[in-house]
Amino acid sequence: MNAPRRVENQLTDKGYVPVYTTAVVEQPWSDYSDADHDTWGRLYLRQRELLVGRACDEFLRAQDDLGMDAHAIPRFDQLNEVLGAATGWTLIGVEGLLPELDFFEHLANRRFPVTWWIRRPEQIDYIAEPDLFHDLFGHVPLLMNPLFADYMRAYGRGGVKAHGIGPEALAHLTRLYWYTVEFGLIATTDGLRIYGAGIVSSKGESLYSLESPAPNRIGFELERIMRTRYRIDTFQKTYFVIDSFRQLMDATAPDFAPLYARLAQRDSIPAGDVLEQDRVFQRGSGEGWTRDGDV
Ligand code: HBI
Ligand code: FE
C-alpha cells in the first residue's frame, strides 16, 4: 500500500503536527491487503467487546445500522448510501490530518474526512495520528444520529467563523471539539457512557475513562471547556460529561463572538484542575482498571 504523502509539519498549540495534502482521495478498497483487513477485524472485535456497557447505546446501534462488521474494512460508498439517507452526511477519503480551515469547511458541508489508510499490525495498540480505524470506527457511527450530526455541522460552520476571527478563537473552539467529539462522556440512567471517538477507538482509554480513579469527570459547561487545556500524548486528566446530545446542539446555537471576547480576558485552566463551581461526578471505582494503567 503506498504510504500517505505528508506535505509539512504545522506548528500548532499542540506542537508540530503532520499535515497532509488536502486532496480528497477515492478509497483504494481493492488495494487493501489481507493484513489491513485483519487489522480492522481485530480492532473491531476487541473494541466492540469492550464497548458493550461502556459506549452509549446510540453509538453501538448506529454502528450496527451502518452495517459495519469485523469481516473487512467497510466501503465508503456503501456506508454513504446509509449515512446519506439518515442524515445527509458523506464520507470522503483523505490522506490524514487536514489544515483546520479545510476540515471545518468539510464539516460545514456535511462531509466527514476519513483517513484512507489503516495502521500497521505492529501499531495495533497505539498510533499517534488518526488512521482509518480511528475515523471510521470512532467518528462515523454517531453521524447517523440526527442531533449529533447537526452538532458536527454547526461545529464546522463555527470553525470557519472562528478561523476568520483569529488563532485564539480557533484554539478555544478546538478545545470544545477535543472534550466532546474526541473525548466526551454522556450521563445515562445506567451511569456514565462513552461517545467520544478518541475513547471508543482506544482499548486503554475505553477502560480508563470510566473506571480509573485518576481523571476528573466534570459536567458539561461551555466556557469551562473552552478554557481547559489538554494534552494529545496521554490519557485525559479530565473528561466532560453531557446530559444529552440535545445539550451539545443547543450549546452551539448562539453566536460565539461575544464568548471569544470574554475568553480572551480569562486565563486558561490546566487540564487536571477542578474548580469550585464544577459539577463533579464520582471518581472511577478502579475495578476493571489496573493501577499500572494510569498515566
Ligand atoms: N483533520 N482529517 C482530519 N481529521 C480531524 O479530526 C481533524 C483534522 N484537522 C484538525 C482537527 N481535526 C482538529 O484540530 C479539530 O479540533 C478541528
Ligand atoms: Fe478524531
Side-chain angles (χ1 to χ4, degrees), residues 97 103 112-113 129-131 134-135 138-139 177-178 181-183 196-198 201:
L97 280 175
F103 182 65
F112 192 81
E129 57 199 302
D131 73 330
H134 169 86
D135 286 335
H139 280 287
Y177 189 88
W178 189 264
V181 177
E182 291 294 357
F183 292 98
S201 56

Side-chain angles (χ1 to χ4, degrees), residues 3 13 19 65 117 129 134 137 203 207 221 227 234 276:
D13 67 353
V19 177
D65 292 349
W117 51 269
E129 57 199 302
H134 169 86
F137 181 96
K203 174 186 172 189
L207 296 170
E221 203 290 304
R227 293 174 59 203
T234 64
E276 189 67 30

Side-chain angles (χ1 to χ4, degrees), residues 14 94 96-100 103-104 113 130 135 139 155 174 177 182:
K14 306 168 243 176
V94 291
L97 280 175
L98 302 175
E100 288 179 319
F103 182 65
F104 292 138
D135 286 335
H139 280 287
Y155 183 89
T174 295
Y177 189 88
E182 291 294 357

Side-chain angles (χ1 to χ4, degrees), residues 208 212-214 286 288-295:
Y208 172 86
S212 168
W289 176 262
T290 53
R291 284 295 307 166
D292 61 7
D294 284 1
V295 285

